Amino acid sequence: MTTPKLEVKNLSKTFSLNSSLTYTVSSISMRINYGEFVSIIGPSGCGKTTLLNILAGLEKQTTGTIYIDKQKNQKLLGKSGYMLQKPLLLPWKTVLENVMLGLTLKRISEKKAKQEACNMLKKFGLSDYANYYPHALSGGMAQRVALLRTILFNNQFLLMDEPFGALDALTRLSMQMWLLDVWQTYKSSVLFVTHDIREAILLSDRIYVLSSSPATIIKEVNINLPRPRKHEFLKDKKTVEIEQLLEQLLLNL
Amino acid sequence: MKLKTIINLGPAFVLFTTLFTVWEIFVQTSQISNQLLPSPIVIMQAFFRNWNIILPHVQQTLIETLIGIFTAIVIGITTAVLLDTSSWVKRAVYPILVTSQTIPIIALAPLLLIWLGFDIWSKVVVVTLFCYFPITIAMSDGFSRIDKEFINLFKTMNASYIDTMRLLKFPSALPAFFSGLKIAVTYSITGAMVGEYVGAEKGLGVFIQTAANAYAISLVFATIFVTTLLSMLLFILVSILEKMLLPWKEK
């Protein structure tokens, strides 16, 4: 059995509301193997974001253990690349400077950071935009820049919270393929939160289905489609069956 | 761009000209003597005739004002940074800050004169008191208006406090800071003059008093004209600085 990048055991998060304990996340156990693309789907507001924030180190769990690289409950901040629905690009910095941000914070010399960011932009076809300011970018382009910034900070472990949620359907399609391209380049371990079933199937090796508040895992589904993935796979008979199964699960919550 | 600026300024220019023309016509056609209410032309004549007398006073007031603004900026930013360190500090200090603004600064001016003497420092402090509040509040609001998700992003990137300040919070709060600074500089000249009113040897506040005591009303108006001119120049200077430092705000 391969060692996981991330292992979560019995993770729960409670908060007290009117002197009664309420669970937002309830006894979640999960794992992500090295280089594995894992998605979490669940209804909106079910506590997916809380779960991701805990894994990113922004919030503390009430109970449960988190292992990253087999190490238990370490300081989680900085251990993952964290990406949200909003691109969160600094408006006063150019695309290049935004992509460099993670390296700047790691105190890597400006020259070297610039070099690496340039290479990154070139590799993924954004060189032409290097000197643009974020306000001049389309939503999809801004999110590409945000992904490259995330990757340059940490390309081994990515936490993504509905990163394409704000994009239109067409942009989203090309972004999904682009993400897979980036992911395969770095063999990153990814935890991808979405409420789009087809997106989850297209991207993932494995999908966890969460129930709504408290978030708890109700099903785990393996997606055995060949890589590299293509959009046509979504029309396969087997894929459609999985899609319907997931849809039923989510609808009956 | 140039043409657009002129077009934008057009309406204000027309209104100004109209107001002054009405004023001029009113004084000339009515029986009011120029001694009591001078017409704009008389005021301008007084201004140009006495320019060399006014100039040293302008210098004095301007020096007090600039030192005062600079001090207010330094203390204001420091306060805003301290307020930002924790919500407890903010909750404790903010109300005091607001309450302190209800103290009439004009009432403090004589005290400052007693404590600091006749030279420029009592006036500098008055200017600082005038400018400190808008700068502090604007900067502090700028800090608190930063999207929480940006702060979280920096946290997940393990950013230090200094880096978060330097790379995120300061640049984010700059537009707010400049709004505050614009309000502050328009008050600042008045602040210096309030300080001078209470007691000074030189400065526009002193000059305007002397002129009023001598019933040289046109000279009083000329000084008021100089004051507004200076305030506007400071305002424009800050606006230019803002444009230079915040090129991304254009869009």
Side-chain angles (χ1 to χ4, degrees):
Chain A
M1 198 152 168
T2 48
T3 51
K5 173 74 190 174
L6 169 84
E7 192 163 19
V8 174
K9 281 185 177 157
N10 265 318
L11 192 80
S12 293
K13 168 103 182 166
T14 56
F15 67 95
S16 51
L17 187 76
N18 303 331
S19 75
S20 70
L21 276 185
T22 311
Y23 282 86
T24 43
V25 174
S26 176
S27 49
I28 284 187
S29 296
M30 60 186 296
R31 50 185 276 147
I32 302 170
N33 294 323
Y34 281 102
E36 194 179 23
F37 199 118
V38 175
S39 287
I40 292 180
I41 55 171
S44 296
C46 76
K48 292 173 292 191
T49 299
T50 310
L51 175 62
L52 223 65
N53 282 348
I54 293 172
L55 296 178
L58 292 169
E59 293 180 43
K60 262 258 151 297
Q61 72 268 34
T62 316
T63 55
T65 332
I66 298 165
Y67 302 86
I68 287 183
D69 298 323
K70 289 201 120 179
Q71 278 182 306
K72 190 176 165 181
N73 284 347
Q74 44 188 326
K75 186 175 175 283
L76 294 172
L77 286 175
K79 290 287 189 305
S80 59
Y82 177 76
M83 186 176 166
L84 303 179
Q85 195 174 85
K86 279 190 236 165
L88 298 175
L89 301 175
L90 301 173
W92 52 88
K93 287 188 178 288
T94 61
V95 165
L96 179 69
E97 289 163 345
N98 267 293
V99 172
M100 281 162 59
L101 182 66
L103 298 180
T104 312
L105 291 173
K106 281 180 179 172
R107 312 228 168 278
I108 286 166
S109 77
E110 164 126 13
K111 200 177 151 208
K112 197 164 170 243
K114 199 170 254 176
Q115 188 61 49
E116 279 193 48
C118 272
N119 290 342
M120 179 76 98
L121 288 173
K122 199 177 286 169
K123 196 184 232 162
F124 296 103
L126 293 182
S127 278
D128 293 347
Y129 298 90
N131 294 317
Y132 280 45
Y133 280 96
H135 65 75
L137 302 176
S138 65
M141 203 50 86
Q143 207 56 330
R144 280 175 205 238
V145 175
L147 178 62
L148 292 190
R149 175 191 60 199
T150 312
I151 293 271
L152 202 56
F153 175 73
N154 187 332
N155 60 33
Q156 284 310 295
F157 184 31
L158 302 178
L159 297 171
M160 310 178 94
D161 192 355
E162 297 190 25
F164 309 145
L167 303 176
D168 63 86
L170 269 177
T171 314
R172 190 187 284 215
L173 288 182
S174 69
M175 286 298 287
Q176 288 160 350
M177 285 320 179
W178 194 75
L179 170 63
L180 286 179
D181 190 24
V182 174
W183 167 70
Q184 258 151 358
T185 312
Y186 294 100
K187 302 189 168 45
S188 329
S189 313
V190 180
L191 184 61
F192 188 93
V193 169
T194 178
H195 54 237
D196 181 337
I197 297 171
R198 298 173 68 118
E199 180 170 82
I201 295 173
L202 180 70
L203 299 175
S204 320
D205 297 312
R206 220 146 35 83
I207 300 175
Y208 288 109
V209 184
L210 291 198
S211 69
S212 110
S213 38
T216 183
I217 293 170
I218 52 168
K219 189 153 184 73
E220 185 185 335
V221 183
N222 284 308
I223 309 293
N224 295 316
L225 293 171
R227 302 267 182 192
R229 297 279 168 89
K230 295 189 179 71
H231 279 116
E232 295 88 82
F233 293 176
L234 286 173
K235 298 192 184 79
D236 282 3
K237 198 167 154 263
K238 256 187 78 183
T239 320
V240 174
E241 271 169 24
I242 296 173
E243 191 187 331
Q244 277 165 349
L245 168 83
L246 292 173
E247 209 173 80
Q248 279 308 313
L249 274 171
L250 288 173
L251 283 174
N252 290 332
L253 283 175
Chain B
M1 164 68 201
K2 278 278 177 334
L3 185 72
K4 221 178 151 191
T5 318
I6 294 165
I7 292 169
N8 280 338
L9 289 175
F13 180 75
V14 170
L15 185 62
F16 261 113
T17 320
T18 317
L19 283 175
F20 282 117
T21 313
V22 169
W23 180 359
E24 182 73 40
I25 293 168
F26 172 72
V27 175
Q28 286 200 11
T29 53
S30 70
Q31 301 304 314
I32 298 170
S33 103
N34 259 319
Q35 240 66 42
L36 221 55
L37 179 66
S39 75
I41 289 176
V42 173
I43 293 169
M44 289 321 283
Q45 280 168 347
F47 168 70
F48 284 114
R49 211 175 302 133
N50 296 288
W51 174 238
N52 53 340
I53 306 173
I54 299 177
L55 193 62
H57 296 287
V58 170
Q59 264 172 4
Q60 177 77 8
T61 304
L62 210 53
I63 289 170
E64 292 160 4
T65 307
L66 291 178
I67 301 176
I69 293 173
F70 183 73
T71 318
I73 291 175
V74 172
I75 304 177
I77 291 179
T78 313
T79 314
V81 169
L82 288 177
L83 286 177
D84 180 64
T85 49
S86 90
S87 64
W88 286 102
V89 177
K90 189 163 181 177
R91 264 178 279 171
V93 178
Y94 209 86
I96 298 177
L97 211 64
V98 176
T99 314
S100 73
Q101 283 309 296
T102 59
I103 300 170
I105 296 172
I106 197 153
L108 292 179
L111 291 176
L112 293 168
L113 193 73
I114 295 167
W115 291 336
L116 300 170
F118 265 86
D119 56 7
I120 66 165
W121 299 109
S122 58
K123 290 88 195 170
V124 167
V125 173
V126 175
V127 175
T128 307
L129 288 175
F130 265 90
C131 297
Y132 168 73
F133 188 69
I135 293 174
T136 309
I137 295 299
M139 190 79 183
S140 179
D141 284 353
F143 281 150
S144 56
R145 244 180 280 136
I146 299 171
D147 192 339
K148 185 91 195 335
E149 291 188 335
F150 268 117
I151 308 269
N152 279 346
L153 176 75
F154 270 67
K155 275 192 198 159
T156 62
M157 288 187 162
N158 240 341
S160 65
Y161 175 76
I162 302 273
D163 278 342
T164 310
M165 267 294 164
R166 186 172 64 94
L167 296 167
L168 176 64
K169 291 196 171 180
F170 258 94
S172 300
L174 265 186
F177 165 77
F178 272 106
S179 309
L181 187 60
K182 279 185 199 162
I183 296 171
V185 296
T186 44
Y187 286 157
S188 60
I189 301 272
T190 315
M193 283 169 71
V194 166
E196 288 162 357
Y197 252 59
V198 179
E201 283 153 10
K202 227 163 68 170
L204 287 172
V206 177
F207 185 73
I208 211 170
Q209 257 184 333
T210 321
N213 288 341
Y215 286 102
I217 308 266
S218 58
L219 221 47
V220 173
F221 272 104
T223 318
I224 294 173
F225 170 70
V226 172
T227 312
T228 46
L229 204 67
L230 286 177
S231 299
M232 264 163 61
L233 277 178
L234 284 177
F235 185 88
I236 292 168
L237 211 69
V238 172
S239 303
I240 292 172
L241 202 67
E242 182 186 19
K243 279 226 170 76
M244 273 163 53
L245 284 174
L246 315 177
W248 72 89
K249 228 189 118 199
E250 288 293 281
K251 276 273 162 92

